[in-house]
Amino acid sequence: MAFSMLQLFLLGALGPRLVDELGVSATELGLTTTIGFGAAAVLSPSSGRIVDRIGPRRALVALLLVSAAALGLIGAAPGAGFLLAAVAVGGLPQALANPATNKTILAAVPPAARGSVTGMKQSGVQLGAFAAGLPLAALAAGVGWRWAVWTAAAAAVVAALCALRTLPADPPAKGAGARPSLVPRGAIAWLAAFSLLLGCGIASVNTYLALFGARELGMGPTAAGALVAVLGVAGIVGRVGWSKAATPGRAERLPEWLAVGAVGAALLLAGALLVHPLVWPAAVAVGVFAVSGNAVSMVLVMQRAVPGRAGQDSALVSAGFFAGFAVGPPVFGVFAEAGHYGPGWLLVAGEFAAAGTVAFVWVRRERRQRTAVSAA
């Protein structure tokens, strides 16, 4: 999970160097997020079918090798066009990540431990952010940004070899068979809609929180960057804790609860314009509630997936989440460009509230269906 998104975290951490050395504009740098998540959203449905067909170990090895290739291309980029093409290649590892890791958990982890293990593996995304922002950024300062990116590529190759040696063997690859529907249905459709709205809000916070701190709250660059670090650490704790709590029967209620907490976090961000210190508990709350929502969604996918379709169902829910990440920041950017962060954070609160509404309606609908079945 860390390697699947490492390229985007690295581009953010190394952004000033790329702007200076490659002549990449701020707009082109911002396009990397939209292209990366847009490619992942488009590729996700097909990647889920591939994982179901070839098995999780083969898929994880492929994920890590393609990550290495994308990082290698980024390190060799002579300009913006090449860089954006390399980011698009990196959309495939993002698309493979949740289907392959979820199927690995189903294959290798006892049912009682799957919730906590899912939370730990989802926190790998934040681990990638930490690796990009500290050790690899420090390495770039010493040996140059290209060698730092190539070091990450080499580490991905090592991880691929470890996966090949340690994960349980896949069953024989299946034939093409009937093509499953790429349209989410039932619980998966509701989780995809929830993830889309959740992703819009999270991506906006991730992209603009540090800039908000620097431009609107008068924070220095180090303190503004620390906001993102606080959010990341809170996200790790939240993902592990809430996923462990997502036991059958309780897990269905967690998305709406987490969305309510996320709305409160967004309102705290808006309130920070008046009371600046509120930005710190707001960052913690975004991590604990909003960022954790995707981990709980993945637990629910594994609990609800039809046998043999865990990869496909994971991919369809992930496609919604990635689409939200592609759409959210450009919309918020209109407010940020005009310096209207207050309305921007209210928009994010609205997105989280809409996600909570989707979760609320889904749970009540399922409850009515169960009641009807019991009565029959």
Side-chain angles (χ1 to χ4, degrees):
M1 291 298 291
F3 279 110
S4 71
M5 289 182 57
L6 184 59
Q7 56 155 350
L8 294 178
F9 292 128
L10 267 175
L11 289 172
L14 302 177
R17 299 177 187 275
L18 296 174
V19 170
D20 292 340
E21 295 186 28
L22 295 184
V24 176
S25 70
T27 300
E28 289 167 335
L29 189 64
L31 277 176
T32 59
T33 297
T34 298
I35 288 176
F37 283 107
V42 171
L43 293 171
S44 281
S46 297
S47 69
R49 189 167 61 244
I50 290 169
V51 173
D52 284 332
R53 185 181 304 167
I54 68 174
R57 184 173 75 165
R58 295 186 187 97
L60 276 172
V61 171
L63 178 161
L64 291 162
L65 291 177
V66 176
S67 293
L71 289 165
L73 290 171
I74 289 171
F82 195 100
L83 181 68
L84 293 175
V87 169
V89 172
L92 180 57
Q94 287 178 253
L96 287 170
N98 277 314
T101 53
N102 285 353
K103 288 209 73 163
T104 300
I105 290 172
L106 288 173
V109 178
R114 285 174 185 166
S116 58
V117 172
T118 300
M120 285 188 282
K121 72 98 172 173
Q122 291 295 130
S123 71
V125 175
Q126 277 69 43
L127 177 62
F130 173 81
L134 192 60
L136 289 172
L139 183 63
V143 300
W145 71 268
R146 293 186 190 275
W147 282 105
V149 175
W150 287 333
T151 299
V157 173
V158 172
L161 294 174
C162 291
L164 188 64
R165 289 176 58 88
T166 60
L167 293 179
D170 292 319
K174 301 177 182 178
R179 292 176 63 87
S181 172
L182 299 183
V183 178
R185 301 181 187 280
I188 302 305
W190 289 96
L191 288 171
F194 170 80
S195 297
L196 170 65
L197 294 163
L198 189 74
C200 285
I202 293 173
S204 298
V205 177
N206 285 348
T207 304
Y208 289 101
L209 180 59
L211 194 63
F212 170 65
R215 289 188 175 177
E216 302 295 322
L217 307 185
M219 302 173 72
T222 301
L227 284 173
V228 179
V230 167
L231 189 157
V233 172
I236 292 174
V237 174
R239 285 186 165 193
V240 173
W242 287 115
S243 296
K244 188 173 182 179
T247 55
R250 180 192 293 172
E252 293 82 356
R253 297 294 305 275
L254 289 183
E256 61 182 282
W257 297 346
L258 293 175
V260 170
V263 171
L267 294 178
L268 282 175
L269 285 171
L273 286 165
L274 300 175
V275 183
H276 293 182
L278 286 178
V279 73
W280 294 102
V284 172
V286 171
V288 169
F289 295 109
V291 173
S292 302
N294 189 47
V296 172
S297 294
M298 289 298 110
V299 175
L300 280 163
V301 168
M302 287 188 283
Q303 291 175 357
R304 297 303 188 90
V306 175
R309 274 186 56 97
Q312 180 72 3
D313 289 346
S314 299
L316 292 172
V317 174
S318 295
F321 194 62
F322 293 147
F325 263 69
V327 171
V331 176
F332 189 98
V334 175
F335 294 95
E337 191 69 26
H340 297 154
Y341 277 92
W345 296 132
L346 293 179
L347 170 65
V348 170
E351 291 163 347
F352 289 149
T357 301
V358 168
F360 178 88
V361 173
W362 170 55
V363 170
R364 271 65 187 177
R365 182 174 177 272
E366 288 224 325
R367 185 177 297 169
R368 287 195 302 270
Q369 289 176 340
R370 284 197 296 267
T371 301
V373 170
S374 298

